[in-house]
Amino acid sequence: MTTDTSRAELDAVVVGAGFSGMYMLHRLRDLLGLSVRVFEAGDDVGGTWYWNRYPGARCDSESYLYCFSFDEDLAQEWSWSGKYPEQPEILRYLNHVADRFDLRPDIRFGTRVTAAHFREDLNRWEIESDQGDRVLARYFITAIGCLSAGQVPNIEGLDGFEGDWYHTGAWPHEGVDFAGKRVGVVGTGSSGVQAIPVIAEQAGHVTVFQRTPQYMIPARHGTVTREFLEEAKRNYNEIFEKRRWTQSGFPFDPSERSALEVDDEERRAIYEAAWEQGGFRFLSATFSDIALDRRANDTAAEFVRSKIRDTVRDPETAEKLVPRDHPFASKRTLIDTNYYETYNRENVTLVDIRHDPIEEITASGIRTRDGDHDLDIIVFATGYDAMTGPFTRIDIRGRGGAVLKEKWAEGPKTYLGLVSAGFPNMFMITGPGSPSVLSNMPVSIEQHVEWISDLVGHMLASGLEVAEAAAEAEAEWVDHVNEVASKTLYLLADSWYLGANIPGKPRVFMPYAGGVGNYRKRCDEVAAAGYEGFVLRGGESVAAR
Ligand code: NAP
């Protein structure tokens, strides 16, 4: 089945060899018997975990939950070492998956897909790469991740900087030697807060350039033991099934109480217990309305603020770190290890660039309004053109030469985050309009991969050639995604969920906030109703459903 030619005709092309692309290849090739080529820009498997090798890179989802569930033997034979897996451990896991299912022969590494055009005359996608490939495929499947288009801010002078600079999402494989160096870190999102404490332990001095203070929950890495992980394994079937039907893909029992129905003392005790346990449980296990009700949210926000003040010894630095301009959890909640404590070190300085803005990068460092910061290394932990960026960087054209980037110019338009009208047989794994980044990713990835391969299997069995979203179904879904988001507090923050981190990007809430379980139910219903909302065409018959 493996083909070597760069001009092959294939059943399916999959872009990306992270969690999504690897599992998609396995399903299509090994279950449906299709010819599949995966194109991967990196030189090996891993996706996010191939690129993000910055110091301290670790997953915020707990290890026993951040893994595949589709193969019981795979789940049982792999043992995680602790509560949160570090990047090298996840990469080892994904390499193990690649070997176990013999995936590499069908992955073309070091190859970036540059264009994908739907050929209406052939009902095929014509796909081109930067390595000169031009292949035809019936199915074009994007497994390109939601956070893979790195964003380095356009600050004047970077070209003339005489030191070294890096983006966290494209970290050198050989690592970076920070010993004795003066390091500037721009950005305090998930990547920055993981990297800063580790860099501070190695560097001569670290200057953090912070735009928006964030709320963080401690990780408490040490709170999970080997015994716990072994016990979890024994209960995997139950755990995995439960995580499929929850709000965020974690099998935690959500609290049903409002933060406003208990008195101050009890509320504080509940927050304290969750704070001691650490991690995302703080969001669900405390109160039911933190993400929905501003007054309830304020109680959680104030609790975190008090923790910052308790931890950071210098009151002026503490106040700079206290978030005030957005509700708790309205941006991606950050899970930290020693982040606030790091500001008690002698070799760490915080620059609040809202009040002391960056003016330019000079040959020797970063100049802010109030002075020069001499640096040997700048680390940009400045995030991504999230969710749509990975798509708009590929020249994707559907029926009539319609350009996806233009169709999405005012925000992504999809049906279920899986398909976009006018782009037949193009399927998106964790595309915009699906729970994706609001969930434990492997859960959403497995659900999409399985749903897509079921649809492809249905098409093969029924002699159908083409599946695409009906325009009305898509419009309804886009409205639904917006309506659900409007009932949350997400819209009150300038987050990458809304594209607010990218100058000029339309302010549209991109993921689906209705919950993993509800979403899965909806997708299942669509399939059970004969792929309601899709237009399916095959041979002479045309079935509009
Ligand atoms: P991010 O959350 O978008 O954070 C980027 C940071 O850079 C923010 O502090 C942002 O400030 C700042 N920034 C952006 N542009 C800037 C500019 N022009 N000047 C100054 N500061 C600027 O990016 P990230 O930390 O890479 O994380 C992205 C997402 O990846 C996370 O939310 C998470 O979903 C995922 N991730 C997960 C993990 C994990 O599981 N442990 C680790 C890393 C990343 P503003 O807040 O003001 O925009």
Side-chain angles (χ1 to χ4, degrees), residues 41-60:
D43 287 332
D44 207 339
V45 298
T48 285
W49 302 104
Y50 172 88
W51 297 105
N52 280 268
R53 296 168 190 245
Y54 60 84
R58 205 189 261 279
C59 185
D60 287 346

PDB file of all heavy atoms in Angstrom, residues 41-60:
ATOM      1  N   ALA A  41       5.396  18.363   8.368  1.00  0.00           N
ATOM      2  CA  ALA A  41       6.476  19.338   8.197  1.00  0.00           C
ATOM      3  C   ALA A  41       7.705  18.983   9.042  1.00  0.00           C
ATOM      4  O   ALA A  41       8.839  19.221   8.628  1.00  0.00           O
ATOM      5  CB  ALA A  41       5.976  20.735   8.564  1.00  0.00           C
ATOM      6  N   GLY A  42       7.483  18.416  10.222  1.00  0.00           N
ATOM      7  CA  GLY A  42       8.608  18.041  11.082  1.00  0.00           C
ATOM      8  C   GLY A  42       9.330  16.812  10.552  1.00  0.00           C
ATOM      9  O   GLY A  42       8.839  16.122   9.652  1.00  0.00           O
ATOM     10  N   ASP A  43      10.474  16.523  11.165  1.00  0.00           N
ATOM     11  CA  ASP A  43      11.249  15.368  10.707  1.00  0.00           C
ATOM     12  C   ASP A  43      10.856  14.081  11.417  1.00  0.00           C
ATOM     13  O   ASP A  43      11.487  13.034  11.210  1.00  0.00           O
ATOM     14  CB  ASP A  43      12.753  15.629  10.900  1.00  0.00           C
ATOM     15  CG  ASP A  43      13.255  16.643   9.883  1.00  0.00           C
ATOM     16  OD1 ASP A  43      12.663  16.719   8.776  1.00  0.00           O
ATOM     17  OD2 ASP A  43      14.196  17.391  10.200  1.00  0.00           O
ATOM     18  N   ASP A  44       9.876  14.163  12.266  1.00  0.00           N
ATOM     19  CA  ASP A  44       9.403  12.939  12.919  1.00  0.00           C
ATOM     20  C   ASP A  44       7.977  13.187  13.417  1.00  0.00           C
ATOM     21  O   ASP A  44       7.438  14.289  13.271  1.00  0.00           O
ATOM     22  CB  ASP A  44      10.332  12.556  14.092  1.00  0.00           C
ATOM     23  CG  ASP A  44      10.309  11.045  14.356  1.00  0.00           C
ATOM     24  OD1 ASP A  44       9.336  10.374  13.938  1.00  0.00           O
ATOM     25  OD2 ASP A  44      11.250  10.547  14.988  1.00  0.00           O
ATOM     26  N   VAL A  45       7.387  12.167  14.029  1.00  0.00           N
ATOM     27  CA  VAL A  45       6.016  12.295  14.519  1.00  0.00           C
ATOM     28  C   VAL A  45       5.978  13.178  15.776  1.00  0.00           C
ATOM     29  O   VAL A  45       7.014  13.463  16.378  1.00  0.00           O
ATOM     30  CB  VAL A  45       5.410  10.909  14.860  1.00  0.00           C
ATOM     31  CG1 VAL A  45       5.327  10.031  13.630  1.00  0.00           C
ATOM     32  CG2 VAL A  45       6.218  10.217  15.971  1.00  0.00           C
ATOM     33  N   GLY A  46       4.781  13.571  16.178  1.00  0.00           N
ATOM     34  CA  GLY A  46       4.634  14.250  17.460  1.00  0.00           C
ATOM     35  C   GLY A  46       3.874  15.565  17.420  1.00  0.00           C
ATOM     36  O   GLY A  46       3.347  16.001  18.434  1.00  0.00           O
ATOM     37  N   GLY A  47       3.862  16.230  16.248  1.00  0.00           N
ATOM     38  CA  GLY A  47       3.102  17.482  16.160  1.00  0.00           C
ATOM     39  C   GLY A  47       3.556  18.475  17.204  1.00  0.00           C
ATOM     40  O   GLY A  47       4.753  18.747  17.356  1.00  0.00           O
ATOM     41  N   THR A  48       2.600  19.011  17.959  1.00  0.00           N
ATOM     42  CA  THR A  48       2.902  19.954  19.046  1.00  0.00           C
ATOM     43  C   THR A  48       4.083  19.501  19.879  1.00  0.00           C
ATOM     44  O   THR A  48       4.944  20.296  20.249  1.00  0.00           O
ATOM     45  CB  THR A  48       1.663  20.060  19.966  1.00  0.00           C
ATOM     46  OG1 THR A  48       0.690  20.842  19.285  1.00  0.00           O
ATOM     47  CG2 THR A  48       1.977  20.718  21.284  1.00  0.00           C
ATOM     48  N   TRP A  49       4.122  18.217  20.164  1.00  0.00           N
ATOM     49  CA  TRP A  49       5.135  17.699  21.097  1.00  0.00           C
ATOM     50  C   TRP A  49       6.470  17.455  20.411  1.00  0.00           C
ATOM     51  O   TRP A  49       7.471  17.153  21.063  1.00  0.00           O
ATOM     52  CB  TRP A  49       4.596  16.451  21.812  1.00  0.00           C
ATOM     53  CG  TRP A  49       3.348  16.808  22.534  1.00  0.00           C
ATOM     54  CD1 TRP A  49       2.072  16.509  22.167  1.00  0.00           C
ATOM     55  CD2 TRP A  49       3.236  17.635  23.702  1.00  0.00           C
ATOM     56  NE1 TRP A  49       1.176  17.078  23.046  1.00  0.00           N
ATOM     57  CE2 TRP A  49       1.865  17.770  23.990  1.00  0.00           C
ATOM     58  CE3 TRP A  49       4.165  18.267  24.538  1.00  0.00           C
ATOM     59  CZ2 TRP A  49       1.389  18.505  25.073  1.00  0.00           C
ATOM     60  CZ3 TRP A  49       3.695  19.005  25.622  1.00  0.00           C
ATOM     61  CH2 TRP A  49       2.323  19.116  25.881  1.00  0.00           C
ATOM     62  N   TYR A  50       6.464  17.558  19.110  1.00  0.00           N
ATOM     63  CA  TYR A  50       7.722  17.544  18.354  1.00  0.00           C
ATOM     64  C   TYR A  50       8.339  18.939  18.390  1.00  0.00           C
ATOM     65  O   TYR A  50       9.558  19.093  18.546  1.00  0.00           O
ATOM     66  CB  TYR A  50       7.433  17.114  16.911  1.00  0.00           C
ATOM     67  CG  TYR A  50       8.630  17.238  15.994  1.00  0.00           C
ATOM     68  CD1 TYR A  50       9.536  16.182  15.870  1.00  0.00           C
ATOM     69  CD2 TYR A  50       8.862  18.409  15.271  1.00  0.00           C
ATOM     70  CE1 TYR A  50      10.643  16.300  15.038  1.00  0.00           C
ATOM     71  CE2 TYR A  50       9.969  18.521  14.443  1.00  0.00           C
ATOM     72  CZ  TYR A  50      10.851  17.470  14.336  1.00  0.00           C
ATOM     73  OH  TYR A  50      11.952  17.590  13.521  1.00  0.00           O
ATOM     74  N   TRP A  51       7.510  19.962  18.264  1.00  0.00           N
ATOM     75  CA  TRP A  51       8.011  21.331  18.126  1.00  0.00           C
ATOM     76  C   TRP A  51       8.255  22.021  19.459  1.00  0.00           C
ATOM     77  O   TRP A  51       9.174  22.823  19.594  1.00  0.00           O
ATOM     78  CB  TRP A  51       7.015  22.180  17.330  1.00  0.00           C
ATOM     79  CG  TRP A  51       6.816  21.692  15.925  1.00  0.00           C
ATOM     80  CD1 TRP A  51       5.729  21.005  15.427  1.00  0.00           C
ATOM     81  CD2 TRP A  51       7.721  21.835  14.819  1.00  0.00           C
ATOM     82  NE1 TRP A  51       5.912  20.713  14.100  1.00  0.00           N
ATOM     83  CE2 TRP A  51       7.129  21.217  13.698  1.00  0.00           C
ATOM     84  CE3 TRP A  51       8.983  22.426  14.674  1.00  0.00           C
ATOM     85  CZ2 TRP A  51       7.750  21.176  12.446  1.00  0.00           C
ATOM     86  CZ3 TRP A  51       9.601  22.382  13.429  1.00  0.00           C
ATOM     87  CH2 TRP A  51       8.985  21.763  12.337  1.00  0.00           C
ATOM     88  N   ASN A  52       7.407  21.756  20.432  1.00  0.00           N
ATOM     89  CA  ASN A  52       7.466  22.509  21.702  1.00  0.00           C
ATOM     90  C   ASN A  52       8.424  21.865  22.688  1.00  0.00           C
ATOM     91  O   ASN A  52       8.016  21.129  23.587  1.00  0.00           O
ATOM     92  CB  ASN A  52       6.066  22.616  22.316  1.00  0.00           C
ATOM     93  CG  ASN A  52       5.257  23.710  21.673  1.00  0.00           C
ATOM     94  OD1 ASN A  52       5.248  24.858  22.130  1.00  0.00           O
ATOM     95  ND2 ASN A  52       4.587  23.375  20.574  1.00  0.00           N
ATOM     96  N   ARG A  53       9.713  22.171  22.524  1.00  0.00           N
ATOM     97  CA  ARG A  53      10.743  21.557  23.383  1.00  0.00           C
ATOM     98  C   ARG A  53      11.330  22.577  24.340  1.00  0.00           C
ATOM     99  O   ARG A  53      12.449  22.420  24.819  1.00  0.00           O
ATOM    100  CB  ARG A  53      11.854  20.989  22.502  1.00  0.00           C
ATOM    101  CG  ARG A  53      11.381  19.877  21.604  1.00  0.00           C
ATOM    102  CD  ARG A  53      12.424  19.534  20.558  1.00  0.00           C
ATOM    103  NE  ARG A  53      11.855  18.626  19.575  1.00  0.00           N
ATOM    104  CZ  ARG A  53      12.257  17.372  19.384  1.00  0.00           C
ATOM    105  NH1 ARG A  53      13.246  16.884  20.070  1.00  0.00           N
ATOM    106  NH2 ARG A  53      11.666  16.612  18.481  1.00  0.00           N
ATOM    107  N   TYR A  54      10.595  23.637  24.586  1.00  0.00           N
ATOM    108  CA  TYR A  54      11.135  24.690  25.455  1.00  0.00           C
ATOM    109  C   TYR A  54      11.271  24.162  26.892  1.00  0.00           C
ATOM    110  O   TYR A  54      10.605  23.182  27.277  1.00  0.00           O
ATOM    111  CB  TYR A  54      10.232  25.933  25.396  1.00  0.00           C
ATOM    112  CG  TYR A  54       8.806  25.697  25.839  1.00  0.00           C
ATOM    113  CD1 TYR A  54       8.441  25.738  27.174  1.00  0.00           C
ATOM    114  CD2 TYR A  54       7.804  25.424  24.911  1.00  0.00           C
ATOM    115  CE1 TYR A  54       7.139  25.512  27.586  1.00  0.00           C
ATOM    116  CE2 TYR A  54       6.494  25.205  25.304  1.00  0.00           C
ATOM    117  CZ  TYR A  54       6.171  25.246  26.648  1.00  0.00           C
ATOM    118  OH  TYR A  54       4.882  25.006  27.047  1.00  0.00           O
ATOM    119  N   PRO A  55      12.144  24.794  27.683  1.00  0.00           N
ATOM    120  CA  PRO A  55      12.350  24.301  29.053  1.00  0.00           C
ATOM    121  C   PRO A  55      11.031  24.309  29.829  1.00  0.00           C
ATOM    122  O   PRO A  55      10.292  25.290  29.776  1.00  0.00           O
ATOM    123  CB  PRO A  55      13.326  25.319  29.655  1.00  0.00           C
ATOM    124  CG  PRO A  55      13.840  26.128  28.535  1.00  0.00           C
ATOM    125  CD  PRO A  55      12.921  25.993  27.374  1.00  0.00           C
ATOM    126  N   GLY A  56      10.755  23.241  30.508  1.00  0.00           N
ATOM    127  CA  GLY A  56       9.547  23.171  31.332  1.00  0.00           C
ATOM    128  C   GLY A  56       8.306  22.737  30.584  1.00  0.00           C
ATOM    129  O   GLY A  56       7.228  22.657  31.180  1.00  0.00           O
ATOM    130  N   ALA A  57       8.420  22.437  29.284  1.00  0.00           N
ATOM    131  CA  ALA A  57       7.217  22.070  28.506  1.00  0.00           C
ATOM    132  C   ALA A  57       6.617  20.782  29.065  1.00  0.00           C
ATOM    133  O   ALA A  57       7.284  19.752  29.172  1.00  0.00           O
ATOM    134  CB  ALA A  57       7.574  21.885  27.035  1.00  0.00           C
ATOM    135  N   ARG A  58       5.387  20.866  29.396  1.00  0.00           N
ATOM    136  CA  ARG A  58       4.705  19.763  30.062  1.00  0.00           C
ATOM    137  C   ARG A  58       3.223  19.909  29.739  1.00  0.00           C
ATOM    138  O   ARG A  58       2.760  21.018  29.499  1.00  0.00           O
ATOM    139  CB  ARG A  58       4.896  19.957  31.566  1.00  0.00           C
ATOM    140  CG  ARG A  58       4.827  18.733  32.425  1.00  0.00           C
ATOM    141  CD  ARG A  58       4.806  19.190  33.869  1.00  0.00           C
ATOM    142  NE  ARG A  58       6.064  19.144  34.584  1.00  0.00           N
ATOM    143  CZ  ARG A  58       6.603  18.073  35.137  1.00  0.00           C
ATOM    144  NH1 ARG A  58       5.998  16.917  35.048  1.00  0.00           N
ATOM    145  NH2 ARG A  58       7.720  18.140  35.791  1.00  0.00           N
ATOM    146  N   CYS A  59       2.499  18.814  29.748  1.00  0.00           N
ATOM    147  CA  CYS A  59       1.070  18.918  29.465  1.00  0.00           C
ATOM    148  C   CYS A  59       0.308  19.276  30.736  1.00  0.00           C
ATOM    149  O   CYS A  59       0.653  18.828  31.817  1.00  0.00           O
ATOM    150  CB  CYS A  59       0.563  17.596  28.910  1.00  0.00           C
ATOM    151  SG  CYS A  59      -1.145  17.701  28.412  1.00  0.00           S
ATOM    152  N   ASP A  60      -0.729  20.089  30.581  1.00  0.00           N
ATOM    153  CA  ASP A  60      -1.562  20.454  31.730  1.00  0.00           C
ATOM    154  C   ASP A  60      -2.661  19.432  32.012  1.00  0.00           C
ATOM    155  O   ASP A  60      -3.345  19.528  33.025  1.00  0.00           O
ATOM    156  CB  ASP A  60      -2.226  21.817  31.499  1.00  0.00           C
ATOM    157  CG  ASP A  60      -1.237  22.966  31.614  1.00  0.00           C
ATOM    158  OD1 ASP A  60      -0.120  22.743  32.133  1.00  0.00           O
ATOM    159  OD2 ASP A  60      -1.589  24.079  31.191  1.00  0.00           O
TER     160      ASP A  60
END
